[in-house]
Amino acid sequence: MGTDAEWDARYDAAPDGMFSGNVNGTLAAETAGLTPGRALDVGCGEGADAIWLARHGWDVTGLDVSAVAVERGAVAARAADVDVRWIAADFATAGLDGFDLVTAHYPALEHTPDRAVLHALLAAVAPGGTLLYVGHAPLDREFSLAHGFDPDDYVLPKDVRAFLPEDWTVEVHEERPRPGGAPHGSSFTHDEVLRARRG
Ligand SMILES: C[S@@+](CC[C@H](N)C(=O)[O-])C[C@H]1O[C@@H](n2cnc3c(N)ncnc32)[C@H](O)[C@@H]1O
């Protein structure tokens, strides 16, 4: 489900765009009280969140394992006349650090025995910075299995919370309705939102 070639094929199968191009409402809500600085959007897809952050004063890096998605983000950023740094790479091995905000919405990051994604998430956030990690909720396991993936294979907000060291503060961890409702044709009505601050 998760290699670069597999994700590229998914994006190629949706040549007019896989997503709406609109910012995720939870990102807009959860960053309202933050002072813009360096931001990293993990699993940025076609770049709508990264572009929104850049418009709101953040110095943004958008990272996705799919080069097709990242190229779409770059095209959209040029059209919007904003600067975003784009990286096509596997987040788990990208070796990033020093961000005031690390945001990931529905990022489809897979567990590995070495817990590489969890280590990479913690390392990416600068001291005093914020991690915003948002997934779908509640996850309907049978629906997921019928659509070819097992939610247990993926790093979910609850997994990130359980991995946070003691010097992190959990500011938000809850399920709530997704702003704007479920995207057309999907059953994703709610988000699981984790926002935590590194000490
Ligand atoms: C469901 S999409 C969400 C895209 C975007 N965040 C949004 O809200 O529209 C999941 C994204 O995660 C990316 N992804 C999956 N595994 C990844 C990995 N190991 N490193 C970076 N990105 C990954 C996929 O290519 C895909 O674009």
Side-chain angles (χ1 to χ4, degrees):
M1 170 107 190
T3 68
D4 51 352
E6 287 164 334
W7 278 104
D8 280 351
R10 274 191 205 101
Y11 281 102
D12 280 336
D16 296 328
M18 192 136 81
F19 302 109
S20 68
N22 300 323
V23 66
N24 282 303
T26 300
L27 175 69
E30 291 299 329
T31 56
L34 299 180
T35 303
R38 293 186 69 212
L40 171 67
D41 185 5
V42 177
C44 65
E46 294 160 331
D49 283 359
I51 290 168
W52 184 90
L53 285 166
R55 278 195 172 124
H56 286 78
W58 292 84
D59 173 6
V60 188
T61 299
L63 176 145
D64 200 283
V65 75
S66 166
V68 175
V70 162
E71 177 55 23
R72 287 184 190 173
V75 169
R78 278 195 292 277
D81 200 21
V82 294
D83 287 328
V84 173
R85 200 172 301 103
W86 300 100
I87 302 175
D90 178 356
F91 174 64
T93 54
L96 298 175
D97 61 19
F99 290 91
D100 303 298
L101 170 67
V102 174
T103 172
H105 278 67
Y106 326 113
L109 299 168
E110 291 179 87
H111 281 295
T112 51
D114 61 1
R115 301 194 278 188
V117 164
L118 292 164
H119 287 291
L121 285 168
L122 299 192
V125 180
T130 295
L131 174 62
L132 176 62
Y133 199 91
V134 179
H136 299 300
L139 278 173
D140 180 339
R141 196 150 189 277
E142 284 191 13
F143 175 89
S144 303
L145 291 174
H147 285 76
F149 71 96
D150 183 343
D152 292 346
D153 291 342
Y154 294 89
V155 177
L156 304 177
K158 67 177 173 60
D159 304 319
V160 178
R161 181 183 182 154
F163 196 70
L164 292 175
E166 275 186 4
D167 60 334
W168 286 65
T169 304
V170 174
E171 297 177 327
V172 177
H173 186 208
E174 63 186 10
E175 289 188 13
R176 59 185 192 227
R178 182 171 170 153
H184 182 68
S186 90
S187 61
F188 300 132
T189 57
H190 285 63
D191 285 338
E192 181 184 355
V193 181
L194 174 68
R195 195 185 77 213
R197 182 173 288 272
R198 182 174 171 184

